[in-house]
Amino acid sequence: MKVITIGRDIDNDIVVHDSKVSRHHLQIINETGSFKIIDFNSKNGTFVNERKISGETALLMNDVVRIGDTILPWQNYFTEKKTKSNIRQRVGFIGAAVTVVMIVLLFVYFQKPQETRIKMQEENGVLYIPMKINGQELSFVFDTGASSICISTLEALVLIKNGLLTESDILGQQGFADATGRISVGTKINLKTVQIGNKELKNVEATIIENPSAVCLLGQTALSQFGTYKIDNSKKEIIFE
């Protein structure tokens, strides 16, 4: 009969470097070619073919044994002649290699620019970008020809009514260009916050258009302040990198 003990503690026959493995996790017994596995009441359990075992369980040569995040090549422990130190070295090397791979994958993941996708809303063939101006939800038309953020007098009144736009936010008069290149004069204001998705700008200059029926415009210059972006027309999304 041959008995092999497995766990995190160095006094085991096989040392597994896995934080989910107990110090003395289990033992596998070979009785003249018949194998059985015994779990030592481990904290996270022992799984044979992804079924948690309890007590003594028979093992077949093609059974898969898992403890924590580690798959045990238990068949090799009996079919290959290894000293205890060789076995520990092999398992330790595998654990170290898995750790290195995980660190590299995490590094690559966090180095990769995280995209923010904003679903645009379509109305009468026009795409609107949902935004928050000083906390107030408004929809804007993306206008590559507009020079800044423009809101109508109607939206301005809503902001004033809700206490989100005050006299101190008014900066004066300024001219602005629309998509046709026409120059108009409007009231220049300061917006404390402009938010698209999870991206937010603070203290952004905007213009109130003296027309209550005018649509809210998001100019290309203003949009570029949010960083690099692209438009996916097929999915009707604006994507910030």
Side-chain angles (χ1 to χ4, degrees):
M1 181 176 71
K2 183 177 181 181
V3 179
I4 291 180
T5 59
I6 301 173
R8 281 192 297 112
D9 205 301
I10 60 173
D11 64 359
N12 289 283
D13 295 306
I14 297 175
V15 179
V16 180
H17 300 284
D18 184 329
S19 61
K20 296 180 182 177
V21 173
S22 297
R23 294 179 62 188
H24 298 93
H25 200 104
L26 62 89
Q27 70 177 16
I28 300 176
I29 302 172
N30 179 10
E31 293 181 331
T32 62
S34 296
F35 300 94
K36 56 186 177 182
I37 185 171
I38 302 174
D39 183 271
F40 293 146
N41 294 318
S42 61
K43 180 179 179 180
N44 294 309
T46 298
F47 296 81
V48 176
N49 302 325
E50 290 307 314
R51 289 186 178 181
K52 189 174 183 179
I53 67 167
S54 60
E56 183 178 302
T57 302
L59 274 181
L60 300 177
M61 287 300 291
N62 60 346
D63 284 340
V64 177
V65 177
R66 177 177 66 82
I67 55 177
D69 294 324
T70 303
I71 302 295
L72 296 177
W74 67 270
Q75 299 89 342
N76 296 341
Y77 306 153
F78 297 98
T79 58
E80 297 180 14
K81 293 182 179 180
K82 292 186 175 73
T83 64
K84 184 183 292 188
S85 61
N86 286 337
I87 292 174
R88 290 176 182 171
Q89 186 177 14
R90 176 74 64 84
V91 175
F93 174 79
I94 292 173
V98 170
T99 301
V100 170
V101 171
M102 291 180 65
I103 290 173
V104 170
L105 290 176
L106 287 171
F107 178 80
V108 171
Y109 175 80
F110 285 109
Q111 288 297 309
K112 180 181 178 182
Q114 300 299 302
E115 292 184 341
T116 299
R117 291 177 170 264
I118 307 298
K119 190 73 174 179
M120 294 188 285
Q121 304 158 351
E122 186 173 11
E123 183 178 336
N124 298 323
V126 178
L127 292 176
Y128 291 83
I129 301 173
M131 297 175 58
K132 286 185 178 180
I133 302 298
N134 292 351
Q136 177 72 43
E137 294 185 356
L138 297 173
S139 295
F140 283 74
V141 174
F142 176 44
D143 188 344
T144 57
S147 56
S148 65
I149 295 176
C150 301
I151 63 174
S152 72
T153 50
L154 181 61
E155 278 76 26
L157 287 173
V158 171
L159 293 174
I160 293 171
K161 181 180 178 181
N162 293 333
L164 303 175
L165 187 66
T166 64
E167 185 177 354
S168 62
D169 296 318
I170 298 175
L171 304 177
Q173 299 290 312
Q174 82 169 10
F176 67 95
D178 59 18
T180 65
R182 183 178 58 188
I183 305 296
S184 303
V185 176
T187 301
K188 183 168 65 172
I189 59 174
N190 177 70
L191 300 177
K192 294 182 179 67
T193 60
V194 177
Q195 185 175 351
I196 302 178
N198 62 358
K199 290 185 171 290
E200 183 180 82
L201 298 177
K202 296 183 181 295
N203 297 319
V204 179
E205 288 191 3
T207 304
I208 299 175
I209 303 173
E210 306 298 330
N211 183 350
S213 61
V215 296
C216 296
L217 300 177
L218 176 61
Q220 188 170 10
T221 303
L223 185 59
S224 64
Q225 296 180 54
F226 286 94
T228 305
Y229 69 91
K230 58 185 176 181
I231 303 230
D232 188 335
N233 290 314
S234 62
K235 294 183 179 180
K236 299 175 183 177
E237 291 180 336
I238 183 166
I239 305 165
F240 295 96
E241 296 180 353

